[in-house]
Amino acid sequence: MNAIILKEAGDVNQLQLVEIEKPIAAVGEVVVKTQALSINPVDMKTRLGKSFYNEFKSKYDPIILGWDISGIVESVGENATEFKVGDQVFGMVNFPGHGKAYAEYVAAPASHLAKKPSNVSHEEAAAATLAALTAYQILNRHIKKGDRVLIHAAAGGVGHYAVQIAKILGAEVIGTASAKNIDFVQSLGADQVIDYSAQPFENAVKDVDFVLDTLSGETLYRSINVVKNGGTIISLPSAGFNQEMVEAGQQKNIHIAFEMVESSGKDMQQIADWLESGQLKSTVSQTFPLVQMSQAHASLETGRTRGKIVITV
């Protein structure tokens, strides 16, 4: 089968198309014939030698990046009773771990997958995996109906799902975005959208209960000024997150932490239900064939993606 391997840490040219053995389903696994997969900032960071790179380099040869898949069950391993051959499934597989999603076939724990809704394309389903799960798992843990929620980079991969999910959970939603994405974020259901290039967001919003910070660094520090006493800021894993930020929040009785998504078929099923009902929708801004993975990574590196970038297989 065709797969994209990471030769060494570095630029997009380190991603190489090769022919390797098709995987075999182990106990509790299914092999999925991939129809689409999506890429995320963690893929790019690992490619650059950050995130999981050192761990992967010491354990795996070859390194195959990616975690987000949608496809058709090709074979079923022992005790993988959740699915049968021919089922259309999607999920974020083996995260955190070696997902090996950049391939025509992927062996995945059945417990990490859900059935793909019939009204959703494989591209839309693949998009709604790591990013949607990140938004759901964090928001479901930390917010309640009626909370005022601020979502940074609300037009991005995690952000555009977070706006929708926070609304589903009954929150009042404020998003930050560039001027060109204000209408888009409003269309997702945001109650207020702040153009971060026109004014500092802390001048436009106060007294929020919860901040989802996808940017870290200076944005996280500035977010402390808009959170209520006793409120919470959750930052996605970033090299810019440090103990000083936690302590700065503690001085104002604000809980600050970073959290990382984990594979969960149960949570994927919730995403599937919302996709099927139309309450949650994926925005796929660009698609590339598997052979153009380098170009897809180059586009992701611009940091200007609306919604998700998806690879068709």
Side-chain angles (χ1 to χ4, degrees):
M1 70 169 184
N2 285 324
I4 302 288
I5 66 168
L6 178 63
K7 294 187 290 182
E8 296 287 344
D11 64 20
V12 298
N13 296 315
Q14 296 298 325
L15 297 167
Q16 182 177 19
L17 182 70
V18 299
E19 184 81 15
I20 62 172
E21 289 287 323
K22 181 176 167 183
I24 297 172
V27 175
E29 289 185 338
V30 297
V31 170
V32 177
K33 184 178 182 181
T34 312
Q35 302 298 298
L37 62 100
S38 75
I39 63 175
N40 299 282
V42 67
D43 303 34
M44 178 183 69
K45 291 173 184 176
T46 303
R47 190 202 80 225
L48 290 168
K50 305 170 185 176
S51 273
F52 298 110
Y53 180 76
N54 288 333
E55 176 190 347
F56 285 3
K57 184 68 174 174
S58 65
K59 291 182 180 179
Y60 307 116
D61 184 20
I63 296 172
I64 302 175
L65 298 177
W67 293 271
D68 293 356
I69 63 169
S70 182
I72 302 164
V73 174
E74 173 87 359
S75 61
V76 177
E78 185 180 350
N79 296 335
T81 56
E82 296 93 331
F83 304 107
K84 65 183 185 300
V85 172
D87 282 346
Q88 299 192 39
V89 297
F90 74 121
M92 177 190 75
V93 301
N94 290 314
F95 192 92
H98 195 202
K100 297 187 279 188
Y102 289 10
E104 290 182 312
Y105 294 88
V106 178
S111 61
H112 293 176
L113 300 167
K115 286 188 178 179
K116 181 187 76 66
S118 60
N119 62 319
V120 172
S121 69
H122 283 291
E123 291 81 6
E124 292 165 328
T129 44
L130 186 149
L133 275 184
T134 297
Y136 172 59
Q137 290 180 354
I138 291 174
L139 293 171
N140 193 49
R141 277 193 289 264
H142 292 287
I143 73 168
K144 62 185 184 301
K145 186 176 181 179
D147 279 354
R148 299 187 76 226
V149 173
L150 173 63
I151 296 166
H152 286 303
V158 172
H160 92 287
Y161 290 117
V163 170
Q164 297 174 79
I165 292 170
K167 289 300 293 182
I168 292 169
L169 297 177
E172 176 187 345
V173 179
I174 304 130
T176 64
S178 63
K180 68 178 182 180
N181 284 321
I182 288 175
D183 288 347
F184 170 63
V185 177
Q186 287 175 334
S187 77
L188 300 172
D191 299 285
Q192 179 184 353
V193 186
I194 301 166
D195 176 1
Y196 62 77
S197 64
Q199 62 177 325
F201 65 84
E202 60 268 39
N203 290 353
V205 61
K206 300 290 182 187
D207 297 325
V208 302
D209 298 283
F210 178 85
V211 176
L212 178 58
D213 165 45
T214 61
L215 302 169
S216 196
E218 179 191 0
T219 300
L220 192 156
Y221 273 117
R222 291 164 56 201
S223 296
I224 294 171
N225 297 317
V226 308
V227 179
K228 290 179 180 176
N229 184 290
T232 299
I233 301 172
I234 297 298
S235 183
L236 302 186
S238 167
F241 186 91
N242 57 51
Q243 186 61 28
E244 288 181 10
M245 296 175 178
V246 175
E247 293 170 356
Q250 288 172 343
Q251 292 174 10
K252 295 192 175 184
N253 192 31
I254 296 168
H255 174 66
I256 299 178
F258 75 82
E259 294 184 3
M260 185 160 62
V261 65
E262 293 183 348
S263 293
S264 167
K266 177 183 176 183
D267 290 346
M268 280 309 323
Q269 186 57 55
Q270 178 62 81
I271 300 298
D273 291 345
W274 284 335
L275 289 169
E276 186 168 35
S277 70
Q279 290 175 278
L280 187 68
K281 295 181 180 179
S282 296
T283 294
V284 177
S285 60
Q286 292 176 289
T287 59
F288 295 85
L290 186 67
V291 295
Q292 291 182 4
M293 184 64 77
S294 295
Q295 292 94 316
H297 267 243
S299 182
L300 184 66
E301 274 187 332
T302 67
R304 298 188 181 93
T305 302
R306 174 187 286 188
K308 295 283 295 174
I309 294 172
V310 169
I311 309 300
T312 55
V313 183

